[in-house]
Amino acid sequence: MTGTSVALLVPAAGSGVRMGGVRKPFLKLAGRSVLDRALAPFLARRDFVEVVVALGSRPDPRDPVFSDARVRATSGGANRFESVANAFDCVESEAEVIAVHDAARPFPPPGAIDACVRLAARGIGAVAGIPAVDTVKRTSGSGVIADTPARETLWYAQTPQVFPRELFARAIEHCRAGGPPPTDDASMVERLGAEVRMVQASVSNIKITSRADLAVAESLIAGGYI
């Protein structure tokens, strides 16, 4: 654990269309909400001094995650970037590092969290992820294969994504000034030409986007992999 203070932003305002409009952060996995599981490894650390969850509707006051004084909710936006930006605007602490984690990822690996925070404390952006194991094709708009990138250079990006606060603030303002909304936090920091590194995470760091993902998550718990 570092001596650096960290504020965690949690975009959680998705409409859950692929799951019939359910509030994914409050789905239960073995008796605990997805959000509770997603935040637990961060709240176990003393250097995470503040957590801002950007929700699309009122929080479930029964969820124990909100019993931690460091956690509070704010309104989400129309897309992921707006939710992250809204949460960042609500940061009250003087945290030197900003981390972002998807509310729908219930199993963030503690080792990846630590490695990302350590890099950000050194002034370097960090993204948890895993190296690509599938061959990836780049296609034209009509689906015709244009080329096959070298798999050794490709990663599947996950969260957390962690950055020095000053760099993150500049990236937010740069994106607000124009251009398409970024699909993840690293891509908006990359637009500034700043260094961002991949950090090895885990295949178990899944994102709940469908009923099938929920079944996988329950299997990981039942099998003792989490």
Side-chain angles (χ1 to χ4, degrees):
M1 196 173 298
T2 70
T4 303
S5 59
V6 188
L8 176 65
L9 316 179
V10 185
S15 58
V17 171
R18 282 173 284 188
M19 294 187 70
V22 300
R23 301 175 72 191
K24 290 185 294 183
F26 299 109
L27 288 172
K28 297 296 185 183
L29 288 173
R32 294 172 59 190
S33 72
V34 171
L35 180 62
D36 184 28
R37 290 183 178 277
L39 298 192
F42 299 96
L43 294 174
R45 298 174 57 108
R46 292 189 303 275
D47 50 355
F48 278 79
V49 297
E50 183 176 11
V51 178
V52 185
V53 184
L55 290 167
S57 56
R58 294 175 64 85
D60 183 346
R62 298 166 298 176
D63 197 297
V65 73
F66 291 105
S67 66
D68 191 305
R70 291 171 289 175
V71 182
R72 67 183 190 282
T74 191
S75 297
N79 55 47
R80 187 184 190 281
F81 169 71
E82 289 185 9
S83 290
V84 170
N86 287 357
F88 183 62
D89 289 343
C90 292
V91 171
E92 297 176 351
S93 70
E94 298 298 320
E96 304 115 303
V97 165
I98 300 295
V100 185
H101 184 64
D102 296 325
R105 290 190 189 273
F107 311 128
I113 295 171
D114 191 65
C116 286
V117 170
R118 290 182 183 278
L119 276 173
R122 292 166 46 198
I124 301 167
V127 176
I130 56 174
V133 295
D134 301 311
T135 297
V136 177
K137 302 290 186 181
R138 184 181 290 111
T139 66
S140 67
S142 60
V144 176
I145 295 173
D147 66 276
T148 305
R151 188 170 62 189
E152 299 77 36
T153 67
L154 301 176
W155 286 65
Y156 303 131
Q158 303 173 340
T159 62
Q161 301 190 8
V162 189
F163 309 92
R165 181 173 184 159
E166 184 274 334
L167 174 61
F168 192 82
R170 286 196 290 120
I172 289 282
E173 290 309 308
H174 185 263
C175 286
R176 279 175 164 162
T183 56
D184 77 343
D185 314 291
S187 59
M188 74 178 186
V189 172
E190 292 160 25
R191 293 179 190 180
L192 299 178
E195 181 179 354
V196 183
R197 296 184 188 177
M198 294 301 305
V199 170
Q200 179 80 48
S202 170
V203 294
S204 65
N205 188 21
I206 62 172
K207 187 175 183 180
I208 307 295
T209 59
S210 68
R211 292 287 177 186
D213 298 321
L214 198 61
V216 170
E218 290 169 343
S219 295
L220 288 171
I221 296 170
Y225 298 105
I226 300 303

